[in-house]
Amino acid sequence: MKITKFGGSSCANAAQFKKVKSIISADNERQVVVVSAPGKRFAEDHKITDMLYLCHQLMEISLGGEEVFASIKERFMDIQHGLHLKIDLEPELDQVEQKLKTGASRDYTASRGEYFSAKLMAAYLGYEFIDAAEIIRFDQRGKYDEKATRDLVKERIKDCCFVVPGFYGAQEDGNIITFSRGGSDITGSILASALAAEKYENWTDVSGFLAADPSIVEDPIPLNTVTYDELRELSYMGAPVLHQEAIFPARQRGIPIHILNTNAPEDYGTLILPKAKRNSDDHIVTGIAGLKDFMIIDVEKYRMTEDVSFYRKLCSVFEANDIPIHHMPSSIDTISVIVREESIKGKERKILEEIDIYCSPDVIEITPGLSILAVVGENMAFRSGVSARVFGALADSDVNIRMISQGSSELNIIVGIANTDFERSIRAIYDEFFKVS
Ligand code: ASP
């Protein structure tokens, strides 16, 4: 059996619902369907989830919100009428509006996009609707509860065929909790894992991953297969398409994830596997991704390595201030702590003072405006000359490298460069490894 998840653009209107139906009917193993809330129908349009958040905000401060809710309702009614469905969502939409007016939670409000989308999809496909609140469990502290969810899913989802709303679940008392934005991908992966599905198909509006960001590199090659590890690196470093948390549940059971395009279902897409079968003539590098706006905190202390508690004390400053550390390259008497600018914003002075007190360094320096690039590929391991080509390509483009890091798995080479060199660097590395001269 396959779990199929359709993203917001695949559920944006009646025409998109029709494409979903033809995809589902083309393969009778597509027995469990997870849907997002309707997304944008055209570039200037709004996603239903964004409108629901806005609605909640406005109603909370009694600043209206009725107009926004009316547009949301209209979107769902348009789909219902466009598909000539026998069900009528109007009374339930009106009830939800009343609930929002009397102070429904933010998560409950946001979850209604997926809820109504799934109700419509179930009616259209002739599948049974299962509310995610019944099967996706969060514990009392609001953390996702994997064990309880697995039991509930196995108990509830038997035989064929079901539609489940993505993005949310509930605590035992019924209180709705959502995952982070884009979280319907996580729901699909959780169901695939709990049901030991043969495949998790994630249908979106692009034909899978590309070797680099198409807004930076012209016509980058598509990636037919990537491994979970490569995908983790690429999506962590900013390659969009799949929610980064969605990898873990499928990976636990080795379930392949297939990224496919609802608007071009014949395209191969990207297949994500535990291990890729690679030939020696395949590209050495699988993909290049990167993120802007990091900050380097350089800490220098003479004979730092002889102080056994130095690293612990330095890290504890970041831990106490709830700032995740992304990289920590070091040399003999200096260490650089690399963090996202947004996570340290407003706390810079406090951090410097605390490092001064706990670690008594000789020098501390802060440099903003750093970008991190990851050159990723399992084929790079145990091969000489790959980093030389990365650094050579950057040198030829006059890019100064501020930081270098390579994990022992040799799955990636990470370089830190100035924000202003970001696009140029990605193009230079792409050309080096993918352009046939
Ligand atoms: N509708 C939610 C969002 O826009 C979740 C999802 O689409 O995956 O973030």
Side-chain angles (χ1 to χ4, degrees):
M1 170 240 273
K2 293 175 186 162
I3 306 294
T4 50
K5 179 257 162 180
F6 291 88
S9 54
S10 310
C11 304
N13 55 22
Q16 292 300 90
F17 268 60
K18 288 181 185 163
K19 291 183 191 169
V20 171
K21 189 171 191 171
S22 77
I23 289 167
I24 295 296
S25 12
D27 181 348
N28 57 17
E29 288 191 344
R30 294 179 175 138
Q31 295 170 1
V32 177
V33 179
V34 176
V35 291
S36 282
K40 293 183 182 190
R41 293 158 295 180
F42 41 88
E44 309 74 40
D45 198 16
H46 301 290
K47 293 179 173 187
I48 290 283
T49 310
D50 291 333
M51 292 162 79
L52 284 163
Y53 278 124
L54 176 65
C55 200
H56 179 259
Q57 216 177 333
L58 294 172
M59 287 189 174
E60 209 177 28
I61 50 172
S62 307
L63 249 188
E66 287 82 2
E67 267 175 49
V68 183
F69 195 85
S71 319
I72 294 171
K73 184 171 160 185
E74 199 181 307
R75 294 266 320 254
F76 285 117
M77 296 313 291
D78 276 354
I79 299 175
Q80 181 185 304
H81 294 139
L83 299 172
H84 310 291
L85 298 178
K86 286 199 194 82
I87 57 157
D88 184 11
L89 285 190
E90 194 164 7
E92 212 180 343
L93 278 158
D94 291 340
Q95 275 170 19
V96 166
E97 185 179 9
Q98 286 316 313
K99 228 172 150 172
L100 301 197
K101 280 186 180 156
T102 48
S105 75
R106 187 170 186 269
D107 280 10
Y108 171 82
T109 309
S111 74
R112 293 308 89 184
E114 270 67 15
Y115 175 86
F116 286 113
S117 182
K119 283 232 143 165
L120 291 170
M121 189 63 83
Y124 184 48
L125 297 177
Y127 281 16
E128 185 184 338
F129 168 83
I130 299 182
D131 191 349
E134 280 182 53
I135 52 173
I136 305 287
R137 190 57 74 240
F138 286 82
D139 66 17
Q140 275 328 98
R141 284 175 305 160
K143 262 191 76 192
Y144 167 62
D145 186 336
E146 184 190 332
K147 161 105 186 42
T149 301
R150 201 183 323 123
D151 294 344
L152 289 166
V153 169
K154 284 204 289 207
E155 178 59 34
R156 182 73 176 82
I157 301 189
K158 289 180 181 147
D159 309 322
C160 186
C161 291
F162 305 92
V163 177
V164 181
F167 189 40
Y168 73 95
Q171 291 171 311
E172 224 174 305
D173 62 3
N175 183 39
I176 299 285
I177 307 231
T178 59
F179 293 114
S180 56
R181 292 301 305 266
S184 300
D185 287 345
I186 308 175
T187 309
S189 187
I190 288 172
L191 297 186
S193 169
L195 296 167
E198 174 203 328
K199 202 189 242 189
Y200 169 31
E201 290 182 344
N202 190 294
W203 292 83
T204 173
D205 54 2
V206 290
S207 296
F209 280 86
L210 300 169
D213 183 343
S215 66
I216 300 175
V217 169
E218 206 190 318
D219 227 356
I221 63 156
L223 301 179
N224 289 342
T225 51
V226 294
T227 65
Y228 293 131
D229 287 335
E230 289 172 333
L231 177 76
R232 169 87 187 112
E233 300 276 344
L234 290 169
S235 52
Y236 169 74
M237 287 304 297
V241 178
L242 187 73
H243 192 298
Q244 47 164 312
E245 301 291 321
I247 301 165
F248 299 108
R251 176 193 196 138
Q252 258 178 4
R253 292 236 179 171
I255 297 164
I257 306 175
H258 201 166
I259 311 286
L260 290 151
N261 188 349
T262 303
N263 304 321
E266 60 295 336
D267 284 359
Y268 184 80
T270 299
L271 189 57
I272 304 153
L273 300 164
K275 275 261 154 268
K277 287 187 214 87
R278 295 265 156 80
N279 306 315
S280 51
D281 54 351
D282 278 353
H283 289 287
I284 299 173
V285 166
T286 302
I288 306 154
L291 282 177
K292 282 184 169 176
D293 300 331
F294 286 85
M295 180 177 274
I296 316 183
I297 298 111
D298 284 310
V299 183
E300 192 177 325
K301 184 178 177 162
Y302 182 55
R303 300 173 80 169
M304 179 179 95
T305 40
E306 286 168 31
D307 176 355
V308 287
S309 61
F310 186 82
Y311 273 61
R312 176 177 53 76
K313 287 189 288 200
L314 182 61
C315 290
S316 70
V317 171
F318 291 87
E319 184 184 357
N321 286 286
D322 203 21
I323 301 171
I325 296 175
H326 284 257
H327 299 279
M328 253 175 67
S330 63
S331 63
I332 299 171
D333 286 333
T334 62
I335 178 154
S336 306
V337 183
I338 296 178
V339 299
R340 297 297 307 263
E341 279 179 10
E342 60 184 21
S343 68
I344 198 170
K345 210 157 146 202
K347 301 181 189 165
E348 295 93 329
R349 277 205 26 210
K350 186 165 180 273
I351 295 287
L352 293 190
E353 258 170 45
E354 290 179 11
I355 296 177
D356 208 31
I357 296 167
Y358 292 129
C359 311
S360 319
D362 299 323
V363 183
I364 318 178
E365 243 173 48
I366 274 193
T367 320
L370 184 84
S371 287
I372 306 271
L373 289 192
V375 183
V376 177
E378 297 209 339
N379 257 5
M380 299 191 320
F382 311 110
R383 227 186 251 244
S384 55
V386 182
S387 39
R389 286 177 66 185
V390 172
F391 303 143
L394 294 177
D396 290 346
S397 298
D398 261 339
V399 173
N400 175 36
I401 302 176
R402 294 285 330 261
M403 189 268 296
I404 300 168
S405 146
Q406 182 180 34
S408 52
S409 64
E410 295 189 47
L411 181 65
N412 62 28
I413 297 171
I414 292 185
V415 290
I417 47 161
N419 274 347
T420 44
D421 289 333
F422 183 72
E423 285 82 7
R424 191 149 49 104
S425 302
I426 293 195
R427 274 185 225 116
I429 300 172
Y430 183 87
D431 288 351
E432 172 64 32
F433 288 97
F434 294 96
K435 278 261 159 82
V436 218
S437 46

